[in-house]
Amino acid sequence: TAALSREIDEVRGCLNGLNGSSYRPRVLVAEKDPLRFLSVLFAALTEEIDLFLGNPEWGLSEQRETLQMVSPDLFMASEWNEGIFPVERRNEESPDVSGLLLMISTGGSSGKIKFAMHSMDNLRVAVEGLCQHFSMHKINSYCVLPLYHVSGLMQVMRALLTNGTITLEPFEKLEKGRFPETKKSIDFISLVPTQLNRLLAVEGASDWLRSFRAIFLGGGPAWPDLLEQGRKVKLPLSLTYGMTESAAQVATLKPEAFLSGEENVGKALPHVEVFIEEEDPTEDVGSIWLKTDALFLGYYPELRKGRELWKTDDLGSLDKEGFLTIFGRTDEVINTGGEKVYPREVEAVIRKVLPVFSVIVFGIPDKEWGELVCAVYQTDSNKGIVESEMRKRLKRELSSYKIPKKWILYPGMLENAQGKINREAIRSWVLDT
């Protein structure tokens, strides 16, 4: 559009002012407005710069942490606190790479902010892999996710690198039942489970969602009841597994497999090899390793050694046909009385049999058990449930050692706008109360 072109020209003027430096310029953008964000991204595509993608919704401490880490030469963040200013540029060298380097933020909600470094070559590999997985040459998306997150950014890259299109809309518009006419050429929409759950309660949403070739569902585990609702109304759900470090999707379940009853995250995309390192030979579950040219180059400012192979923080298993099932993160496993408990399994059963809106399960220190299984939950009415009744219902579904011994009703919202739960913050809250 004309407005976007004007914005791009303005940003290019700012970038030209950085040329001639003896070092690679650093640019930090933290814009919620898609037009302003895209103007910076598109202006930077042919530049030799380090472009940091910050979160416009970060709090004051996170803003300061980021500026201290990056010390940018150009700072564009209209949503951030007016009293925040970049610190003086430090002289350390930038990573030794050519072309644009995209620094995509990860962490923040669960710990120290990190920036995963990606080149355009990395991102291109990820886009080509998705095209091959769905036998497509062009990708057209309907995007309701933030562009500064990898899930939103990669929708832009898919359109850019395949000459496709991307339609940008605020999710709030869909929540109000305002569904635009979707052209048959728009293939995909990406949602997190919380968004899908909200849409299923809106009249007309199911009919509109069925118009897509696939609805990518990721960003967190989807609970069984939600998937059953989706299958009941014949939604072309495509469960996905990926992360910032892998340029989004690693494995993706095709809609036809979902509708036939599968509830795993599908097979690895053609550009990725997935390996499971089983620490216990009696179990099929182990740490997930990835091998792909789409992997990030490292966490800023250190380049990663052995770039093709990387051990994730996730646990999973592969069946004989290559379908991947995710069991959560390695640091989430609860060891109670000598038994291992996988929180995702327990959370899924709780959502299935108890009237909770949201739930998180984790371990807390205990002298007798080593760790105690604890559940923090939220209900629609914000009223607690009788613990004896909860345990009674769960006994039919879970082994006794997996049933939470401590139940806490959370007074606020467990999930943020992206459907994620700050697990460590909730656990700290429990330990402090």
Side-chain angles (χ1 to χ4, degrees):
T1 65
L4 179 58
S5 296
R6 287 194 298 270
E7 292 272 0
I8 292 174
D9 288 341
E10 288 182 16
V11 176
R12 280 180 177 155
C14 296
L15 295 179
N16 289 337
L18 301 176
N19 290 339
S21 303
S22 59
Y23 50 78
R24 284 172 61 96
R26 298 179 194 146
V27 178
L28 171 61
V29 56
E31 295 287 355
K32 184 181 294 185
D33 180 356
L35 188 67
R36 290 185 61 81
F37 177 90
L38 289 174
S39 67
V40 179
L41 177 64
F42 291 161
L45 284 174
T46 57
E47 301 289 335
E48 294 269 343
I49 67 171
D50 298 339
L51 178 58
F52 294 80
L53 309 183
N55 188 332
E57 297 182 354
W58 276 337
L60 195 58
S61 62
E62 292 163 315
Q63 294 173 18
R64 286 174 175 157
E65 178 186 346
T66 301
L67 289 172
Q68 186 66 35
M69 182 195 315
V70 176
S71 58
D73 300 289
L74 180 61
F75 173 49
M76 304 180 69
S78 57
E79 300 282 338
W80 279 18
N81 189 283
E82 292 182 1
I84 292 291
F85 300 98
V87 298
E88 184 177 350
R89 165 79 189 226
R90 297 192 300 273
N91 293 323
E92 70 266 20
E93 293 291 329
S94 292
D96 185 18
V97 295
S98 60
L100 173 65
L101 196 59
L102 279 169
M103 316 290 194
I104 310 173
S105 63
T106 179
S109 64
S110 57
K112 186 176 176 61
I113 294 170
K114 296 182 291 186
F115 284 93
M117 300 184 289
H118 280 283
S119 69
M120 290 300 293
D121 287 340
N122 299 136
L123 304 185
R124 184 175 289 106
V125 169
V127 171
E128 290 173 351
L130 186 64
C131 285
Q132 292 176 38
H133 192 64
F134 282 93
S135 302
M136 303 176 70
H137 298 290
K138 182 184 293 187
I139 295 181
N140 304 313
S141 302
Y142 189 97
C143 180
V144 294
L145 297 175
L147 300 184
Y148 46 85
H149 286 169
V150 70
S151 52
L153 176 69
M154 287 308 296
Q155 294 183 66
V156 175
M157 290 300 168
R158 291 164 194 159
L160 184 68
L161 297 175
T162 67
N163 292 318
T165 62
I166 180 170
T167 302
L168 302 172
E169 294 279 11
F171 180 71
E172 292 77 12
K173 180 177 178 180
L174 304 183
E175 280 189 291
K176 294 176 182 178
R178 295 160 56 191
F179 302 110
E181 183 179 348
T182 306
K183 299 177 182 178
K184 290 184 179 180
S185 60
I186 299 182
D187 305 291
F188 304 115
I189 184 172
S190 297
L191 300 172
V192 298
T194 302
Q195 289 176 322
L196 177 61
N197 188 48
R198 292 175 182 173
L199 285 183
L200 286 175
V202 180
E203 185 178 355
S206 296
D207 291 336
W208 183 75
L209 288 170
R210 278 195 296 270
S211 66
F212 291 96
R213 175 170 178 170
I215 303 164
F216 294 140
L217 192 65
W223 51 99
D225 183 58
L226 177 64
L227 298 179
E228 185 56 37
Q229 288 183 62
R231 192 175 289 113
K232 186 176 181 179
V233 295
K234 295 182 170 49
L235 295 186
L237 294 183
S238 191
L239 279 61
T240 72
Y241 167 67
M243 62 209 74
T244 303
E245 290 84 353
S246 63
Q249 295 182 28
V250 165
T252 300
L253 183 70
K254 292 184 178 179
E256 53 268 30
F258 167 77
L259 291 172
S260 69
E262 294 284 352
E263 293 191 357
N264 50 61
V265 294
K267 296 182 178 181
L269 272 61
H271 69 287
V272 185
E273 291 182 70
V274 175
F275 307 94
I276 303 296
E277 181 184 46
E278 298 172 2
E279 298 177 2
D280 187 339
T282 64
E283 296 184 0
D284 293 329
V285 179
S287 297
I288 298 175
W289 285 76
L290 304 178
K291 184 178 181 181
T292 170
D293 289 333
L295 280 174
F296 72 127
L297 304 181
Y299 294 116
Y300 173 82
E302 300 293 331
L303 290 174
R304 187 170 54 83
K305 296 179 181 179
R307 295 183 186 178
E308 289 187 357
L309 191 63
W310 184 58
K311 183 180 182 180
T312 73
D313 293 325
D314 298 315
L315 292 167
S317 67
L318 285 170
D319 67 14
K320 294 179 180 179
E321 296 181 0
F323 287 93
L324 177 65
T325 298
I326 307 300
F327 288 86
R329 293 170 58 90
T330 54
D331 57 4
E332 292 174 1
V333 178
I334 304 167
N335 288 285
T336 179
E339 299 283 1
K340 288 184 180 179
V341 176
Y342 298 102
R344 279 201 184 191
E345 177 192 5
V346 181
E347 290 165 359
V349 174
I350 290 173
R351 284 184 179 270
K352 177 183 176 182
V353 303
L354 297 177
V356 301
F357 177 77
S358 187
V359 64
I360 177 175
V361 172
F362 49 82
I364 57 176
D366 183 77
K367 290 182 180 180
E368 181 181 358
W369 297 95
E371 281 188 295
L372 208 64
V373 181
C374 175
V376 177
Y377 66 98
Q378 178 189 359
T379 62
D380 288 325
S381 62
N382 206 30
K383 293 182 179 180
I385 308 171
V386 178
E387 289 189 25
S388 59
E389 179 62 25
M390 289 191 281
R391 293 193 181 97
K392 181 180 178 181
R393 293 193 193 184
L394 291 176
K395 268 188 174 181
R396 304 167 189 160
E397 304 279 345
L398 291 171
S399 300
S400 59
Y401 67 87
K402 296 180 182 180
I403 298 175
K405 290 181 171 61
K406 186 169 185 176
W407 295 82
I408 300 174
L409 175 67
Y410 194 66
M413 289 293 292
L414 281 172
E415 298 171 339
N416 63 19
Q418 282 74 50
K420 293 182 177 290
I421 296 178
N422 188 336
R423 188 175 292 269
E424 190 54 42
I426 299 299
R427 185 175 183 274
S428 297
W429 173 78
V430 169
L431 294 176
D432 291 340
T433 54

